[in-house]
């Protein structure tokens, strides 16, 4: 029998609605009001700490000045890009700050453009993804489709990511955006942000740090992390009104949270059940889904390793 990524009917019992969840899993209005509160001060600190920790990685490696310090810094910058991307994702949902102008400004100029992301363009595609996962307008179908694959195929994909092939495709897409009126302004802002970062590093006497600790990790390590995260969210799933058939759920632990799925983005089924819940409250929504019996032990993968193993379990 062919291996499928879809959970069995026994793993997704019909338990909704309940007194706390609607038929789709979304919380009822009384519960939703609490879960959807945006913690502005907490998020302001999160954004600040992200930049402070990034600066510490740069300064620390340059201050130590040894080859191994630069290697450690390079490795740490991959997860930093995962954090920038997660906060850009939060801003795209307008969940980073309750004030729309502040949310969009921070999403664009503080966590978006510097990390090669146009939050506005990302928002357009991402809302299509949420509206109809695996539907005709799904922007990431090529990334999710066709799983499970063979181990050899998975190895080839990750090798291309690690060698910068995927990063080069993303960079070319950004540069092509400079040619077209609809994307030119967004691409220019990304490029301008990169110039500012390079100038800042140069003024401090470390222009090479921009190349080796910003641009290079984005081109290589971040591409690996991004693929592993993306296929862990939707790899091999299908179009359905039941979110349990569109989105995987994985038990969360500190190691993947540090390296790949920061800011609770690993609670991805909960995010798709109600995309209006800020990241700090996704674990609470997950607990609601478990308590209702909507998320069962059979549905939840025990680790990302177990999920990736199944995603690469096709024999030929």
């Amino acid at each position: 029998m062919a291996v499928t990524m879809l959970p069995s009917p026994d793993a997704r019992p019909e338990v909704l609605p309940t007194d706390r969840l609607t038929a789709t899993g979304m919380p009822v209005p009384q519960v939703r009001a609490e879960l959807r509160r945006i913690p502005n001060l907490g998020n302001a600190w999160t954004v600040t700490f992200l930049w402070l920790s990034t600066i510490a990685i740069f300064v620390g490696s340059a201050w130590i000045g040894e080859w191994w310090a630069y290697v450690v810094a390079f490795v740490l910058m991959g997860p930093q890009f995962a954090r920038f991307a997660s906060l850009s994702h939060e801003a795209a949902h307008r969940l980073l700050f309750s004030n729309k102008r502040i949310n969009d400004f921070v999403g664009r100029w503080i966590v978006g453009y510097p990390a090669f992301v146009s939050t506005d363009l990302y928002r357009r595609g991402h809302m299509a993804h949420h509206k109809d996962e695996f539907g005709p307008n799904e922007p990431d179908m090529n990334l999710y489709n066709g799983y499970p694959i063979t181990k050899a195929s998975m190895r080839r994909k990750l090798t291309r990511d690690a060698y910068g092939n995927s990063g080069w495709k993303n960079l070319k897409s950004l540069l092509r955006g400079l040619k077209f009126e609809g994307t030119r302004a967004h691409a220019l802002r990304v490029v301008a942000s990169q110039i500012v970062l390079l100038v800042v590093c140069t003024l401090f006497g470390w222009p090479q740090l921009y190349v080796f600790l910003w641009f290079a990790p984005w081109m290589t390590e971040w591409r690996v992390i991004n693929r592993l995260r993306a296929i862990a969210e939707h790899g091999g799933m299908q179009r359905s009104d039941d979110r349990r058939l569109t989105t995987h759920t994985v038990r969360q632990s500190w190691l993947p949270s540090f390296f790949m799925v920061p800011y609770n983005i690993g609670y991805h089924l909960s995010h798709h059940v109600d995309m209006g819940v800020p990241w700090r409250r996704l674990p609470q929504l997950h607990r609601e889904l478990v308590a209702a019996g909507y998320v069962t032990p059979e549905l939840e993968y025990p680790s990302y390793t177990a999920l990736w193993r199944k995603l690469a379990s096709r024999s030929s």
Side-chain angles (χ1 to χ4, degrees), residues 30-296:
Q30 309 92 283
V31 180
R32 193 184 312 154
E34 169 61 23
L35 289 178
R36 287 191 171 190
R37 277 194 308 110
I38 297 174
N40 292 300
L41 289 178
N43 285 350
W45 165 243
T46 298
V47 172
T48 302
F49 183 77
L50 174 57
W51 271 108
L52 289 175
S53 60
T54 301
I55 293 169
I57 292 171
F58 273 59
V59 173
S61 62
W63 181 68
I64 294 171
E66 300 287 345
W67 66 267
W68 58 264
Y70 293 113
V71 171
V72 170
F74 182 95
V75 171
L76 290 176
M77 281 306 301
Q80 291 297 92
F81 274 108
R83 294 180 179 90
F84 279 104
S86 295
L87 293 183
S88 297
H89 169 265
E90 199 76 358
H93 280 277
R94 293 204 164 99
L95 298 175
L96 196 55
F97 295 100
S98 56
N99 182 288
K100 180 181 174 181
R101 289 185 178 180
I102 295 175
N103 179 89
D104 287 353
F105 176 82
V106 174
R108 291 167 182 151
W109 292 102
I110 308 301
V111 298
Y113 299 140
F116 298 89
V117 175
S118 167
T119 303
D120 297 284
L121 292 181
Y122 173 72
R123 180 183 288 131
R124 293 179 200 173
H126 192 64
M127 290 304 108
H129 166 65
H130 272 279
K131 185 177 181 180
D132 188 6
E133 299 98 323
F134 293 90
N137 297 316
E138 171 64 71
D140 297 314
M141 184 68 82
N142 290 338
L143 191 57
Y144 306 142
N145 223 12
Y147 287 89
I149 59 177
T150 64
K151 290 181 181 178
S153 179
M154 179 74 86
R155 192 179 306 114
R156 286 193 297 270
K157 290 178 185 293
L158 296 177
T159 299
R160 287 196 297 267
D161 294 337
Y163 284 176
N165 297 34
S166 303
W168 174 237
K169 289 180 181 179
N170 280 267
L171 184 62
K172 285 194 296 184
S173 178
L174 169 65
L175 296 177
R176 277 198 303 269
L178 295 169
K179 299 180 180 180
F180 303 105
E181 185 176 350
T183 56
R184 185 178 299 120
H186 303 280
L188 281 172
R189 291 166 188 165
V190 172
V191 172
S193 296
Q194 304 315 306
I195 293 172
V196 169
L197 290 173
L198 176 58
V199 168
V200 169
C201 289
T202 302
L203 289 175
F204 280 94
W206 301 321
Q208 68 276 17
L209 293 189
Y210 171 82
V211 176
F212 294 114
L213 295 186
W214 191 262
F215 182 70
W218 178 81
M219 285 282 288
T220 57
E221 183 188 4
W222 162 234
R223 308 262 63 93
V224 175
I225 292 172
N226 189 50
R227 184 182 300 276
L228 290 173
R229 176 200 54 79
I231 62 175
E233 292 172 354
H234 302 287
M237 302 301 267
Q238 70 177 22
R239 191 183 191 186
S240 175
D241 292 332
D242 186 342
R243 293 291 185 262
R244 295 173 295 183
L245 291 174
T246 70
T247 311
H248 296 295
T249 182
V250 187
R251 192 169 303 146
Q252 298 298 291
S253 59
W254 72 269
L255 193 61
S257 294
F258 178 83
F259 280 101
M260 185 184 68
V261 284
Y263 308 137
N264 294 329
I265 202 170
Y267 290 98
H268 209 64
L269 177 62
S270 300
H271 173 61
H272 273 266
V273 165
D274 189 347
M275 65 177 180
V277 174
W279 69 269
R280 292 178 188 274
R281 306 193 192 281
L282 286 175
Q284 188 176 341
L285 177 55
H286 175 75
R287 289 192 292 270
E288 292 278 357
L289 297 173
V290 170
Y294 183 78
V295 172
T296 62

